[in-house]
Amino acid sequence: DSGVTQTPKHLITATGQRVTLRCSPRSGDLSVYWYQQSLDQGLQFLIQYYNGEERAKGNILERFSAQQFPDLHSELNLSSLELGDSALYFCASSGRGSSYEQYFGPGTRLTVT
Amino acid sequence: GNSVTQMEGPVTLSEEAFLTINCTYTATGYPSLFWYVQYPGEGLQLLLKATKADDKGSNKGFEATYRKETTSFHLEKGSVQVSDSAVYFCALVAPWNTDKLIFGTGTRLQVFP
């Protein structure tokens, strides 16, 4: 168990809908990262937050947004969903002085029908 | 840009065989290097890491050495078990850029009794 939790585990929704994925980092970790894993794109970095502030952005679509709250949990919001958004979404966290180690949650499997 | 290249799988071995999974990287400067493992239906687990040239990361019988001269970080294990069957990802962090993980495509390992 990495100490990173994600909910829900599975999500099935229709095209055009909006969903929210939730992540709680390991206790004490200030950084949260979101990654997307799909068959055609592999593992892709989406976005990073550090102590409530956006730190880095990757290949994140404009339809997607994220935030990190004062209690350090994070949410990834996906809107106007398309079939191609079906993927596994992982959250990871890291702490200060961690030599850039990131610890991953179990993921949320999103299926868009 | 920064990237990671892994050997394609699947790699199929008998129990107690020797394992090598090749990984090479492209990065300016000195990235930190990682191996992550993903068991079926689970998230990614950090297997081992190395943060500077000639460092050897090791864990659970797996080893990898950071080779700057060949830009490689090959994963090895002397005697694999059926329980090692999983997908293995090589990854790097280029901390002068951001501390996002850049992953290879993953290599599936199948070990048979």
Side-chain angles (χ1 to χ4, degrees):
Chain A
D1 185 353
S2 67
V4 178
T5 60
Q6 287 186 250
T7 56
K9 198 173 174 73
H10 301 279
L11 204 47
I12 301 174
T13 189
T15 54
Q17 295 299 305
R18 172 190 169 93
V19 297
T20 297
L21 282 53
R22 183 188 168 103
C23 167
S24 292
R26 292 187 316 161
S27 177
D29 282 357
L30 300 179
S31 272
V32 169
Y33 308 77
W34 286 97
Y35 293 87
Q36 181 194 59
Q37 185 178 33
S38 62
L39 281 174
D40 52 344
Q41 298 286 328
L43 271 159
Q44 298 281 322
F45 167 74
L46 295 177
I47 197 164
Q48 178 198 0
Y49 277 81
Y50 178 81
N51 202 19
E53 304 271 331
E54 183 183 301
R55 169 71 67 91
K57 233 173 181 175
N59 301 323
I60 187 166
L61 300 170
E62 284 193 16
R63 300 184 284 108
F64 296 1
S65 65
Q67 55 185 326
Q68 186 179 27
F69 295 86
D71 67 353
L72 300 177
H73 91 272
S74 178
E75 292 181 356
L76 179 67
N77 300 297
L78 315 176
S79 61
S80 302
L81 285 166
E82 302 175 359
L83 295 177
D85 298 328
S86 297
L88 258 172
Y89 291 85
F90 288 109
C91 167
S93 73
S94 70
R96 275 176 287 196
S98 64
S99 300
Y100 308 105
E101 294 170 19
Q102 294 180 25
Y103 294 87
F104 283 74
T108 293
R109 181 173 293 281
L110 173 66
T111 302
V112 182
T113 62
Chain B
N2 302 318
S3 65
V4 175
T5 302
Q6 283 183 244
M7 64 188 285
E8 293 216 6
V11 173
T12 304
L13 294 172
S14 297
E15 209 164 23
E16 298 183 4
F18 185 86
L19 168 71
T20 300
I21 299 178
N22 291 336
C23 169
T24 57
Y25 67 89
T26 300
T28 52
Y30 293 85
S32 293
L33 302 175
F34 303 86
W35 278 99
Y36 281 84
V37 58
Q38 186 176 28
Y39 297 100
E42 297 186 15
L44 286 85
Q45 296 178 25
L46 177 62
L47 183 59
L48 53 82
K49 68 173 185 184
T51 57
K52 60 183 189 295
D54 300 324
D55 264 3
K56 179 186 278 190
S58 60
N59 187 26
K60 299 181 182 178
F62 291 90
E63 293 183 340
T65 301
Y66 189 143
R67 301 283 187 206
K68 181 69 176 169
E69 63 277 12
T70 53
T71 62
S72 65
F73 193 54
H74 304 321
L75 182 68
E76 296 182 336
K77 187 175 186 185
S79 175
V80 293
Q81 305 300 311
V82 172
S83 58
D84 294 326
S85 298
V87 180
Y88 292 81
F89 292 91
C90 185
L92 70 80
V93 166
W96 60 90
N97 187 358
T98 70
D99 44 356
K100 69 182 183 186
L101 280 161
I102 297 171
F103 287 94
T105 52
T107 302
R108 181 175 299 279
L109 170 65
Q110 296 175 321
V111 181
F112 293 95

